[in-house]
Amino acid sequence: MMKFLISQRALDHNDFQKLELKYQVETGSAGPYSFVTEKDTSVYNGQRLRFFIDGYIRDFNCAMPDVASQTENAIGLITKQWPVPDSISGSFSSVIIEENTGEIVICNDAIGVYPLYYFAGEDEFYISNSLIWLGVFSEASIDEVGLFQRTYCPEFANIGSRTLLKNVKRLLPGEWIRFNKSGEIKKKKYDNELYQNLSDSILPLDYWIAFKREISYCLAEEENVHIGLSGGMDSRLIIAGVPEGKNMSGHTYGQEDYYETLIAKRVAELYDAKFKSYSHPELNFPSKEILEKYTIETEAIYLNHWLEILEDQNKDNREIMLVGDMTESLQGRNLPMKKNWKNFKQYYLGRKEYPLTQNTSEKFEDWKEAVISKYTGLVSQKHLNRINVELTEKQIKNEITADLEELFLRIEQHNLPYLELVSEIFTWFTHSRIPMGKQILILNSNFKSLCVPMSVQILRLTSNLHPNLRLNGRYIKSLFASVKDLKSAAGVPTSQIPFIPFNSPEILKVPIWFLRSEIDDFLIKRVMKSGNPKKRYRVLKSFNWVEVYQQPKMEAKLRSYFEKNYLGEGYTNAVINGALQRRDLEQWPLSNINIINAAALNAELALLKALKDE
């Protein structure tokens, strides 16, 4: 993600001199606007338009190799038509400057993992894909509600258009806004095309043809293709869909003898891809310098496993990295289904149709109340005191509710027939959009990271699969069973169900899955009961969080993150104490995402303050 910032006021040397402390920047102009960009950021031209793109945009009506024409045609169309027609696809956010009128259009795809921020004050107007840059130029202060959401709300993420900065908004999922040259909003539109043509008759082969076309257009100009290869079904779809003649390289994190690594390697070999695994478990608690580096570069520290790959790369040559489905859409993982033996027997083993819940106005209101209660129930005076927030509990709760209502309205505009789809799209607009999306953003530090399954047309197609087709991975099973390109990959076991092929009968797979889960649970409880971190952690060798917390320098690194503390002593002490309890096996040593979130947030605040002070 190469950073840019656009303003209607002339940016002078003093404005961007601050950024030169941490970034290499250049300045330019387009129509009545000034802009500052990271060095080597692409600023596109065409049809009297200047535009910036994060991600990729393609026009299927143009010849495949001609990416420049595809992009220019698509951008020209986006200024006039939203949502885009079926000839336009991609996963993107974009700023489009109309040089003759001085108006600006900003937009992002239906999920919006590539962030785009804007600030429209009385005398100032800024647009940027960097919250830190926008905060430095606008001198916006910290938003206490945004701070609370980043520290205590689910996913440690802001809700809706809320950000960490006052009056600075992030584009909502599928949002399109036209500004006049004074920074006033002239018009807003929304992409509500997901789930609009639900069908139980989309053939696996037709889906696969569409999927391969998307990948072909995405990679039209690429010779070398990198793939984040977990060995799961999403990454198998991607590697199988890459056109012949590309030089493929699969990358995964973990030691060579981890079970998950061995699975990923087998998949790579099936498709004649190079393969490399990376094991630097100490990077799950990186040095303060590495944490700050990726905060500066990406503002997307979240899952530090990716650092094991990134720290081993040559940044001078940023090539394409394809990653799996961050919405987990095709496998229906975010479709809620009650987990009990009856449902398992009838709808998983028996493959009966699950009785979906009709989305009536009453049930929708009940669902909204449950979500609001979950989020606002996290607000307490103790939590507010820990992060030195001055707003009252009632004020924070009211603001969180307003932010949720913003997302509820986006969901309501889709007119979804089933409550299960309501829950799924809410997860896409929260969990997938920000924390999962950060995986795409952090990979952009050394690669050009793209997620084809989240592209406009593929996500529309996937959402139109009737939910009963997607539940329990039914559709993905039918794909691997019936599509020639995928059948060889179906013969490889998965990480969750070892030893036997993915395409084995469920009557064989389920007992193995159950047995492995039970043995893993037993081993975990044994480690905790004994207090001995050297005891076996899993039945199959895989990533060991117990060992990560036992690193000799873990505590020193942890405390270094908060040497300059912008989150409050109460909050950071709670984070540090929780980590030490995991180290000492007083708590189960789960993933350290909550700890790293706090460290990354503190680094963002420190960077904002340092650049503003300068």
Side-chain angles (χ1 to χ4, degrees), residues 209-224:
I209 290 170
F211 193 88
K212 286 189 70 174
R213 179 178 70 165
E214 183 79 33
I215 293 182
S216 295
Y217 270 83
C218 175
L219 301 178
E221 291 185 328
E222 307 300 326
E223 292 183 8
N224 300 321

Side-chain angles (χ1 to χ4, degrees), residues 1-38:
M1 179 178 68
M2 306 299 282
K3 296 174 185 60
F4 58 83
L5 179 138
I6 303 163
S7 178
Q8 97 285 17
R9 72 174 177 83
L11 302 173
D12 59 31
H13 184 70
N14 291 330
D15 285 317
F16 61 83
Q17 191 175 30
K18 300 175 183 179
L19 295 184
E20 285 285 3
L21 293 168
K22 302 288 185 181
Y23 308 88
Q24 290 187 319
V25 298
E26 300 174 330
T27 57
S29 62
Y33 301 98
S34 297
F35 59 77
V36 57
T37 65
E38 258 186 316

Side-chain angles (χ1 to χ4, degrees), residues 170-182:
R170 176 173 172 165
L171 274 182
L172 291 168
E175 190 169 34
W176 179 103
I177 303 177
R178 177 180 288 275
F179 296 92
N180 65 21
K181 60 185 178 183
S182 300

